[in-house]
Amino acid sequence: EFGAYSIREIYERSNDVDGKYTVPILWDKKTKTIVSNESSEIIRMLNSEFNDFAKNPDVNLYPEDLVTDMEAVNDWVYPTINNGVYRCGFATSQRAYNVAIDELTESFDRAEEILSRQRYIAGDKFTLADIR
């Protein structure tokens, strides 16, 4: 819409010049601002906030009966897999890398063990935990 060359330009256009310039971002075209840059918040918003425009508004990837299970999965997936990849890549010492790669590998094994018993990571339905 406005031909931004970089993510930094998008942040600057929304008057955010102090933080880190990260993706993903959810941009509000009307107010010309960033609504969120946190992936877990964005996917929750996309699950329900745009149902008036959705092709399948009845699809709920955040079912109330699995919230506790999804949060329990996220408690280990986010720090050891999602963030674990970055911890490996940006490790500033061999020791830090070793810790991060061990946690990442253990979490891959844990996910594989869970998924060998059930189709989805947090239970019997496809949820945001499977996307994240």
Side-chain angles (χ1 to χ4, degrees):
E1 173 176 300
F2 50 78
Y5 178 75
S6 67
I7 295 298
R8 180 181 181 156
E9 282 184 49
I10 295 171
Y11 276 87
E12 289 173 349
R13 288 182 189 189
S14 65
N15 297 316
D16 183 348
V17 294
D18 298 325
K20 293 181 179 179
Y21 307 114
T22 63
V23 291
I25 58 172
L26 182 59
W27 177 259
D28 185 321
K29 290 168 60 173
K30 286 185 180 178
T31 62
K32 296 187 178 1
T33 192
I34 294 171
V35 176
S36 179
N37 66 351
E38 170 51 47
S39 61
S40 64
E41 290 175 10
I42 292 170
I43 62 175
R44 281 192 194 150
M45 284 184 233
L46 293 175
N47 181 59
S48 59
E49 297 301 318
F50 300 95
N51 283 351
D52 290 343
F53 311 100
K55 190 173 188 176
N56 299 298
D58 295 333
V59 172
N60 181 9
L61 300 177
Y62 198 68
E64 206 168 298
D65 62 318
L66 291 177
V67 168
T68 301
D69 295 328
M70 289 186 298
E71 289 175 358
V73 167
N74 190 50
D75 284 346
W76 61 271
V77 167
Y78 180 79
T80 62
I81 296 178
N82 297 101
N83 197 42
V85 171
Y86 294 103
R87 291 176 44 228
C88 290
F90 294 110
T92 57
S93 69
Q94 186 63 47
R95 177 170 157 50
Y97 174 82
N98 291 345
V99 169
I101 195 68
D102 287 347
E103 290 177 1
L104 179 63
T105 303
E106 288 170 14
S107 289
F108 281 152
D109 290 343
R110 184 176 180 181
E112 181 178 29
E113 193 275 322
I114 292 168
L115 294 170
S116 71
R117 291 183 282 112
Q118 61 193 44
R119 184 169 180 162
Y120 305 109
I121 195 75
D124 62 354
K125 297 176 193 163
F126 184 71
T127 67
L128 293 178
D130 296 287
I131 296 170
R132 188 146 200 242

